[in-house]
Coordinates of all heavy atoms in Angstrom, one line a residue:
M669 N -16.8 23.8 -33.7 CA -16.7 23.8 -35.1 C -18.0 24.3 -35.7 O -19.1 23.8 -35.3 CB -16.4 22.4 -35.6 CG -16.5 22.2 -37.1 SD -16.0 20.6 -37.8 CE -16.8 19.4 -36.8
A670 N -17.9 25.3 -36.5 CA -19.1 25.9 -37.2 C -19.3 25.3 -38.6 O -18.3 25.3 -39.4 CB -19.0 27.4 -37.2
V671 N -20.5 24.8 -38.9 CA -20.7 24.2 -40.2 C -22.0 24.8 -40.8 O -23.0 24.8 -40.1 CB -20.9 22.7 -40.2 CG1 -21.1 22.1 -41.5 CG2 -19.6 22.0 -39.6
V672 N -21.9 25.3 -42.0 CA -23.0 25.8 -42.8 C -23.1 25.1 -44.1 O -22.0 25.0 -44.8 CB -23.0 27.3 -43.0 CG1 -24.2 27.8 -43.8 CG2 -22.9 28.1 -41.7
A673 N -24.3 24.6 -44.5 CA -24.4 24.0 -45.8 C -25.0 25.1 -46.8 O -25.8 25.9 -46.3 CB -25.4 22.8 -45.7
F674 N -24.5 25.1 -48.0 CA -25.1 25.9 -49.0 C -25.7 25.0 -50.0 O -25.0 24.2 -50.6 CB -24.1 26.9 -49.6 CG -23.7 28.0 -48.7 CD1 -22.8 27.8 -47.7 CD2 -24.3 29.3 -48.9 CE1 -22.5 28.9 -46.8 CE2 -23.9 30.3 -48.1 CZ -23.0 30.1 -47.0
V675 N -27.0 25.1 -50.2 CA -27.7 24.2 -51.1 C -28.3 24.9 -52.3 O -28.8 26.0 -52.2 CB -28.9 23.5 -50.3 CG1 -29.7 22.5 -51.2 CG2 -28.4 22.8 -49.1
K676 N -28.1 24.3 -53.5 CA -28.6 25.0 -54.7 C -30.1 24.9 -54.8 O -30.7 23.9 -54.7 CB -27.9 24.3 -55.9 CG -28.2 25.0 -57.2 CD -27.4 24.5 -58.4 CE -27.5 25.3 -59.6 NZ -26.7 24.9 -60.7
H677 N -30.7 26.1 -55.0 CA -32.1 26.3 -55.2 C -32.2 27.2 -56.5 O -31.7 28.3 -56.4 CB -32.8 27.0 -54.0 CG -32.9 26.1 -52.8 ND1 -33.8 25.1 -52.7 CD2 -32.1 26.1 -51.7 CE1 -33.6 24.5 -51.6 NE2 -32.6 25.0 -50.9
E678 N -32.7 26.6 -57.5 CA -32.7 27.3 -58.8 C -31.3 27.6 -59.2 O -30.5 26.7 -59.4 CB -33.7 28.5 -58.8 CG -35.1 28.1 -58.5 CD -36.1 29.2 -58.4 OE1 -35.7 30.4 -58.7 OE2 -37.2 29.0 -57.9
D679 N -30.9 28.9 -59.3 CA -29.6 29.3 -59.8 C -28.7 29.8 -58.6 O -27.7 30.3 -58.8 CB -29.6 30.3 -60.9 CG -30.1 29.7 -62.2 OD1 -30.0 28.4 -62.4 OD2 -30.7 30.4 -63.0
N680 N -29.2 29.7 -57.4 CA -28.5 30.3 -56.2 C -28.2 29.2 -55.2 O -28.9 28.2 -55.1 CB -29.4 31.3 -55.5 CG -29.8 32.5 -56.5 OD1 -28.9 33.0 -57.1 ND2 -31.1 32.8 -56.5
M681 N -27.1 29.5 -54.5 CA -26.7 28.6 -53.4 C -27.2 29.3 -52.1 O -26.8 30.4 -51.8 CB -25.2 28.5 -53.3 CG -24.6 27.7 -54.5 SD -25.3 26.1 -54.8 CE -24.2 25.1 -53.8
I682 N -28.1 28.7 -51.4 CA -28.8 29.2 -50.2 C -28.2 28.6 -48.9 O -28.1 27.4 -48.8 CB -30.3 28.9 -50.3 CG1 -30.9 29.4 -51.6 CG2 -31.0 29.5 -49.1 CD1 -30.9 30.9 -51.9
P683 N -27.8 29.5 -47.9 CA -27.3 28.9 -46.7 C -28.4 28.1 -46.0 O -29.6 28.5 -45.9 CB -26.9 30.1 -45.9 CG -27.6 31.3 -46.5 CD -27.9 30.9 -47.9
S684 N -28.0 27.0 -45.4 CA -28.9 26.1 -44.8 C -28.2 25.3 -43.7 O -27.0 25.3 -43.6 CB -29.5 25.0 -45.8 OG -30.1 25.7 -46.9
H685 N -29.0 24.6 -42.8 CA -28.4 23.7 -41.9 C -28.1 22.4 -42.6 O -28.9 22.0 -43.5 CB -29.4 23.5 -40.7 CG -28.8 22.7 -39.6 ND1 -28.7 21.3 -39.6 CD2 -28.2 23.1 -38.4 CE1 -28.1 20.9 -38.5 NE2 -27.8 22.0 -37.7
P686 N -27.0 21.7 -42.3 CA -26.7 20.4 -43.0 C -27.9 19.4 -42.9 O -28.0 18.6 -43.9 CB -25.5 19.9 -42.2 CG -24.8 21.1 -41.7 CD -25.9 22.1 -41.4
C687 N -28.8 19.5 -41.9 CA -29.9 18.5 -41.9 C -30.9 18.7 -43.0 O -31.7 17.8 -43.3 CB -30.6 18.6 -40.5 SG -31.5 20.1 -40.3
S688 N -30.8 19.9 -43.7 CA -31.8 20.1 -44.7 C -31.4 19.5 -46.1 O -32.2 19.6 -47.0 CB -32.0 21.6 -44.9 OG -30.8 22.2 -45.4
I689 N -30.3 18.9 -46.2 CA -29.8 18.4 -47.5 C -30.6 17.1 -47.8 O -30.8 16.2 -47.0 CB -28.3 18.1 -47.4 CG1 -27.5 19.4 -47.3 CG2 -27.8 17.3 -48.7 CD1 -26.0 19.2 -47.0
K690 N -31.1 17.1 -49.0 CA -32.0 16.0 -49.5 C -31.3 15.3 -50.7 O -30.4 15.9 -51.3 CB -33.3 16.5 -50.0 CG -34.1 17.3 -48.9 CD -34.5 16.4 -47.8 CE -35.3 17.1 -46.8 NZ -35.3 16.5 -45.5
A691 N -31.7 14.0 -50.9 CA -31.1 13.3 -52.1 C -31.2 14.1 -53.3 O -32.2 14.7 -53.6 CB -31.8 12.0 -52.2
G692 N -30.1 14.2 -54.1 CA -30.1 14.9 -55.4 C -29.7 16.3 -55.2 O -29.4 17.0 -56.2
D693 N -29.6 16.9 -54.0 CA -29.3 18.3 -53.8 C -27.8 18.5 -54.2 O -26.9 17.7 -53.8 CB -29.4 18.7 -52.4 CG -30.9 19.1 -52.0 OD1 -31.7 19.1 -52.9 OD2 -31.1 19.3 -50.8
E694 N -27.5 19.6 -54.9 CA -26.2 20.0 -55.1 C -25.8 21.0 -53.9 O -26.6 21.9 -53.6 CB -26.1 20.8 -56.4 CG -24.7 21.1 -56.9 CD -24.7 21.7 -58.3 OE1 -25.4 21.2 -59.2 OE2 -24.0 22.7 -58.4
F695 N -24.7 20.8 -53.3 CA -24.4 21.5 -52.1 C -22.9 21.6 -51.8 O -22.1 20.9 -52.4 CB -25.1 20.9 -50.8 CG -24.4 19.6 -50.4 CD1 -23.4 19.6 -49.4 CD2 -24.7 18.4 -51.0 CE1 -22.8 18.5 -49.0 CE2 -24.0 17.3 -50.6 CZ -23.1 17.3 -49.6
Y696 N -22.5 22.5 -51.0 CA -21.2 22.5 -50.4 C -21.3 22.9 -49.0 O -22.2 23.5 -48.5 CB -20.2 23.4 -51.2 CG -20.5 24.9 -51.2 CD1 -20.1 25.7 -50.2 CD2 -21.2 25.5 -52.3 CE1 -20.3 27.1 -50.2 CE2 -21.4 26.8 -52.3 CZ -21.0 27.6 -51.3 OH -21.3 29.0 -51.3
L697 N -20.3 22.5 -48.2 CA -20.2 22.8 -46.8 C -19.1 23.9 -46.5 O -18.1 23.8 -47.2 CB -19.9 21.6 -45.9 CG -20.9 20.4 -46.0 CD1 -20.4 19.2 -45.2 CD2 -22.3 20.9 -45.5
V698 N -19.4 24.8 -45.6 CA -18.4 25.7 -45.1 C -18.1 25.3 -43.7 O -19.0 25.4 -42.8 CB -18.8 27.2 -45.3 CG1 -17.8 28.1 -44.7 CG2 -19.1 27.5 -46.7
V699 N -16.9 24.9 -43.4 CA -16.5 24.5 -42.0 C -15.5 25.4 -41.5 O -14.4 25.6 -42.1 CB -15.9 23.0 -42.0 CG1 -15.6 22.6 -40.6 CG2 -16.9 22.0 -42.7
D700 N -15.8 26.1 -40.4 CA -15.0 27.1 -39.8 C -14.4 28.1 -40.8 O -13.2 28.4 -40.8 CB -13.8 26.4 -39.0 CG -14.3 25.7 -37.8 OD1 -15.3 26.1 -37.2 OD2 -13.6 24.8 -37.4
G701 N -15.3 28.5 -41.7 CA -14.9 29.6 -42.7 C -14.3 29.1 -44.0 O -13.9 29.8 -44.8
V702 N -14.0 27.7 -44.1 CA -13.4 27.2 -45.2 C -14.4 26.4 -46.1 O -15.0 25.5 -45.7 CB -12.2 26.2 -44.8 CG1 -11.6 25.6 -46.0 CG2 -11.2 26.9 -43.9
K703 N -14.5 26.9 -47.4 CA -15.5 26.3 -48.3 C -15.0 24.9 -48.8 O -13.8 24.8 -49.3 CB -15.7 27.2 -49.5 CG -16.7 26.6 -50.5 CD -16.7 27.5 -51.8 CE -17.6 26.9 -52.8 NZ -17.1 25.7 -53.4
G704 N -15.8 23.9 -48.8 CA -15.5 22.6 -49.3 C -15.9 22.5 -50.8 O -16.6 23.4 -51.3
P705 N -15.7 21.4 -51.4 CA -16.1 21.2 -52.8 C -17.6 21.1 -52.9 O -18.3 20.6 -52.0 CB -15.4 19.9 -53.2 CG -15.3 19.2 -51.9 CD -15.0 20.2 -50.9
T706 N -18.1 21.5 -54.1 CA -19.5 21.3 -54.4 C -19.7 19.8 -54.7 O -19.0 19.2 -55.4 CB -20.0 22.1 -55.6 OG1 -19.7 23.5 -55.3 CG2 -21.4 22.0 -55.9
Q707 N -20.8 19.2 -54.1 CA -21.1 17.8 -54.2 C -22.6 17.6 -54.5 O -23.3 18.5 -54.3 CB -20.6 17.1 -53.0 CG -19.2 17.4 -52.6 CD -18.8 16.8 -51.3 OE1 -18.4 15.7 -51.2 NE2 -18.9 17.6 -50.2
V708 N -22.9 16.4 -54.8 CA -24.4 16.0 -55.0 C -24.7 14.9 -54.0 O -23.9 13.9 -53.9 CB -24.6 15.5 -56.4 CG1 -26.1 15.0 -56.5 CG2 -24.4 16.6 -57.4
A709 N -25.7 15.1 -53.2 CA -26.1 14.1 -52.2 C -26.8 12.9 -52.8 O -27.6 13.0 -53.6 CB -27.0 14.8 -51.1
Q710 N -26.4 11.7 -52.3 CA -27.0 10.5 -52.8 C -28.3 10.2 -52.0 O -29.2 9.6 -52.6 CB -26.0 9.3 -52.6 CG -26.5 8.0 -53.1 CD -25.4 6.9 -53.0 OE1 -24.3 7.2 -53.0 NE2 -25.8 5.7 -53.0
A711 N -28.3 10.6 -50.8 CA -29.5 10.4 -49.9 C -29.7 11.6 -49.0 O -28.9 12.4 -48.9 CB -29.3 9.1 -49.1
D712 N -30.9 11.6 -48.4 CA -31.1 12.7 -47.4 C -30.1 12.6 -46.2 O -29.6 11.5 -45.9 CB -32.5 12.5 -46.8 CG -33.7 12.7 -47.8 OD1 -33.4 13.1 -48.9 OD2 -34.8 12.6 -47.4
A713 N -29.8 13.7 -45.7 CA -28.9 13.8 -44.5 C -29.5 13.0 -43.4 O -30.7 13.1 -43.2 CB -28.6 15.2 -44.1
T714 N -28.7 12.2 -42.7 CA -29.2 11.4 -41.5 C -28.4 11.8 -40.3 O -27.2 12.1 -40.3 CB -29.0 9.9 -41.8 OG1 -27.7 9.6 -42.1 CG2 -29.9 9.5 -42.9
P715 N -29.1 11.9 -39.1 CA -28.5 12.3 -37.9 C -27.5 11.2 -37.4 O -27.7 10.0 -37.6 CB -29.6 12.5 -36.9 CG -30.7 11.6 -37.5 CD -30.5 11.6 -38.9
V716 N -26.4 11.7 -36.8 CA -25.5 10.8 -36.1 C -25.8 11.1 -34.6 O -25.7 12.2 -34.2 CB -24.0 11.2 -36.4 CG1 -23.0 10.3 -35.6 CG2 -23.7 11.0 -37.9
L717 N -26.1 10.0 -33.9 CA -26.6 10.1 -32.5 C -25.5 9.8 -31.5 O -24.7 8.8 -31.8 CB -27.8 9.3 -32.2 CG -29.0 9.5 -33.1 CD1 -30.1 8.5 -32.8 CD2 -29.5 10.9 -33.0
D718 N -25.4 10.5 -30.4 CA -24.5 10.2 -29.3 C -25.0 8.8 -28.8 O -26.2 8.6 -28.6 CB -24.6 11.3 -28.2 CG -23.7 11.0 -27.1 OD1 -24.1 10.2 -26.2 OD2 -22.5 11.5 -27.1
E719 N -24.0 7.9 -28.5 CA -24.4 6.6 -28.1 C -25.0 6.6 -26.7 O -25.8 5.7 -26.4 CB -23.1 5.7 -28.0 CG -22.6 5.4 -29.4 CD -21.3 4.5 -29.4 OE1 -21.1 3.8 -28.3 OE2 -20.6 4.5 -30.4
I720 N -24.7 7.5 -25.9 CA -25.3 7.6 -24.5 C -26.5 8.4 -24.4 O -27.6 7.9 -24.0 CB -24.2 8.1 -23.5 CG1 -23.0 7.1 -23.5 CG2 -24.8 8.2 -22.1 CD1 -21.8 7.6 -22.7
T721 N -26.5 9.6 -24.9 CA -27.6 10.6 -24.7 C -28.6 10.4 -25.9 O -29.7 10.9 -25.7 CB -27.1 12.0 -24.7 OG1 -26.5 12.4 -25.9 CG2 -26.1 12.2 -23.5
R722 N -28.2 9.8 -27.0 CA -29.1 9.7 -28.2 C -29.4 11.1 -28.8 O -30.3 11.2 -29.6 CB -30.3 8.9 -27.9 CG -30.1 7.5 -27.3 CD -29.2 6.6 -28.0 NE -29.7 6.2 -29.3 CZ -29.0 5.7 -30.3 NH1 -27.8 5.5 -30.1 NH2 -29.6 5.3 -31.4
E723 N -28.6 12.1 -28.4 CA -28.8 13.4 -29.0 C -28.1 13.5 -30.4 O -27.0 12.8 -30.5 CB -28.3 14.5 -28.1 CG -29.1 14.6 -26.8 CD -28.6 15.7 -25.9 OE1 -27.7 16.5 -26.4 OE2 -29.0 15.8 -24.8
T724 N -28.5 14.3 -31.3 CA -27.9 14.5 -32.6 C -26.6 15.2 -32.3 O -26.6 16.3 -31.8 CB -28.8 15.2 -33.6 OG1 -30.0 14.5 -33.7 CG2 -28.0 15.4 -34.9
I725 N -25.5 14.6 -32.8 CA -24.2 15.3 -32.6 C -23.5 15.7 -33.9 O -22.6 16.4 -34.0 CB -23.2 14.4 -31.8 CG1 -23.0 13.1 -32.4 CG2 -23.6 14.3 -30.3 CD1 -21.9 12.2 -31.8
D726 N -24.1 15.1 -35.0 CA -23.5 15.4 -36.3 C -24.5 15.0 -37.4 O -25.6 14.4 -37.0 CB -22.2 14.7 -36.5 CG -21.3 15.3 -37.6 OD1 -21.7 16.2 -38.3 OD2 -20.1 14.8 -37.7
W727 N -24.2 15.2 -38.6 CA -25.1 14.8 -39.7 C -24.2 14.0 -40.8 O -23.1 14.4 -41.1 CB -25.8 16.0 -40.4 CG -26.8 16.5 -39.5 CD1 -26.6 17.5 -38.6 CD2 -28.1 16.1 -39.3 NE1 -27.7 17.7 -37.9 CE2 -28.7 16.9 -38.3 CE3 -28.9 15.2 -40.0 CZ2 -30.0 16.8 -37.9 CZ3 -30.2 15.1 -39.6 CH2 -30.8 15.8 -38.6
N728 N -24.7 12.9 -41.2 CA -24.1 12.1 -42.2 C -24.7 12.4 -43.6 O -25.9 12.4 -43.7 CB -24.2 10.6 -41.9 CG -23.5 9.7 -42.9 OD1 -22.3 10.0 -43.2 ND2 -24.1 8.7 -43.4
I729 N -23.9 12.7 -44.6 CA -24.4 13.0 -45.9 C -23.6 12.1 -46.9 O -22.4 12.2 -47.1 CB -24.2 14.5 -46.3 CG1 -24.8 15.4 -45.2 CG2 -24.7 14.8 -47.7 CD1 -24.3 16.8 -45.3
E730 N -24.4 11.2 -47.5 CA -23.8 10.3 -48.5 C -23.6 11.0 -49.8 O -24.6 11.7 -50.2 CB -24.6 9.0 -48.7 CG -24.6 8.1 -47.5 CD -25.3 6.8 -47.7 OE1 -25.2 6.3 -48.8 OE2 -26.0 6.3 -46.8
I731 N -22.5 10.9 -50.5 CA -22.2 11.7 -51.7 C -22.4 10.8 -52.9 O -21.9 9.7 -53.0 CB -20.7 12.2 -51.6 CG1 -20.5 12.9 -50.3 CG2 -20.4 13.0 -52.8 CD1 -21.4 14.1 -50.1
K732 N -23.1 11.4 -53.9 CA -23.3 10.8 -55.2 C -22.1 11.2 -56.1 O -21.5 10.4 -56.8 CB -24.6 11.2 -55.7 CG -25.0 10.6 -57.1 CD -26.4 11.2 -57.4 CE -27.0 10.6 -58.6 NZ -28.4 11.1 -58.8
E733 N -21.9 12.5 -56.2 CA -20.8 13.0 -57.0 C -20.0 13.9 -56.2 O -20.5 14.8 -55.5 CB -21.4 13.9 -58.2 CG -21.9 13.2 -59.3 CD -22.4 14.2 -60.4 OE1 -21.7 15.0 -60.8 OE2 -23.6 14.0 -60.8
E734 N -18.7 13.7 -56.2 CA -17.8 14.5 -55.4 C -17.0 15.5 -56.2 O -16.6 15.2 -57.4 CB -16.9 13.6 -54.6 CG -16.2 14.4 -53.5 CD -15.6 13.5 -52.4 OE1 -15.8 12.3 -52.5 OE2 -14.8 14.0 -51.6
C735 N -16.8 16.6 -55.7 CA -15.9 17.7 -56.3 C -16.3 18.0 -57.7 O -15.6 17.7 -58.7 CB -14.5 17.2 -56.2 SG -13.4 18.6 -56.3
I736 N -17.5 18.6 -57.9 CA -17.9 19.0 -59.2 C -17.5 20.4 -59.5 O -17.8 21.0 -60.5 CB -19.4 18.8 -59.5 CG1 -20.3 19.5 -58.4 CG2 -19.8 17.3 -59.4 CD1 -21.8 19.4 -58.6
D737 N -16.8 21.1 -58.5 CA -16.2 22.4 -58.7 C -14.9 22.2 -59.6 O -14.1 21.3 -59.4 CB -15.8 23.0 -57.4 CG -16.9 23.6 -56.6 OD1 -18.0 23.8 -57.2 OD2 -16.7 23.9 -55.4
A738 N -14.7 23.2 -60.5 CA -13.5 23.2 -61.3 C -12.4 23.9 -60.5 O -11.2 23.6 -60.7 CB -13.7 23.9 -62.6
D739 N -12.8 24.7 -59.5 CA -11.8 25.5 -58.8 C -11.4 25.0 -57.4 O -10.7 25.7 -56.7 CB -12.3 27.0 -58.7 CG -13.6 27.1 -57.9 OD1 -14.3 26.0 -57.8 OD2 -13.9 28.1 -57.3
V740 N -11.9 23.8 -57.0 CA -11.6 23.3 -55.6 C -10.8 22.1 -55.8 O -11.1 21.2 -56.6 CB -12.9 23.1 -54.8 CG1 -12.5 22.5 -53.5 CG2 -13.6 24.4 -54.6

């Protein structure tokens, strides 16, 4: 599964890794080529760790505002 975050910087949405999302950022995720809704992060992205290896396997992003897109 390929995931790219697009985070708003000034008036542009800049492609980023999901780990770069910070509290208050307006962002959307593209998962396997499908754009999700624009949302606002409530907190910084936090890693989800594998229980055995303790390696980062995903990122958790708490949402403050969901679906602020009119078209999604």
Side-chain angles (χ1 to χ4, degrees):
M669 171 171 49
V671 178
V672 177
F674 285 79
V675 181
K676 187 171 187 176
H677 291 282
E678 298 177 11
D679 291 331
N680 299 312
M681 298 301 272
I682 306 297
S684 306
H685 189 278
C687 70
S688 68
I689 295 173
K690 303 292 181 204
D693 280 353
E694 187 174 318
F695 73 97
Y696 63 85
L697 300 176
V698 176
V699 180
D700 291 334
V702 179
K703 179 189 177 291
T706 302
Q707 305 173 86
V708 177
Q710 181 173 338
D712 293 358
T714 55
V716 176
L717 303 177
D718 182 275
E719 291 181 21
I720 297 170
T721 66
R722 307 304 294 164
E723 293 180 10
T724 301
I725 57 172
D726 204 353
W727 291 90
N728 182 49
I729 305 165
E730 292 186 38
I731 305 304
K732 182 178 185 179
E733 279 180 54
E734 193 161 352
C735 202
I736 58 178
D737 281 345
D739 61 337
V740 176

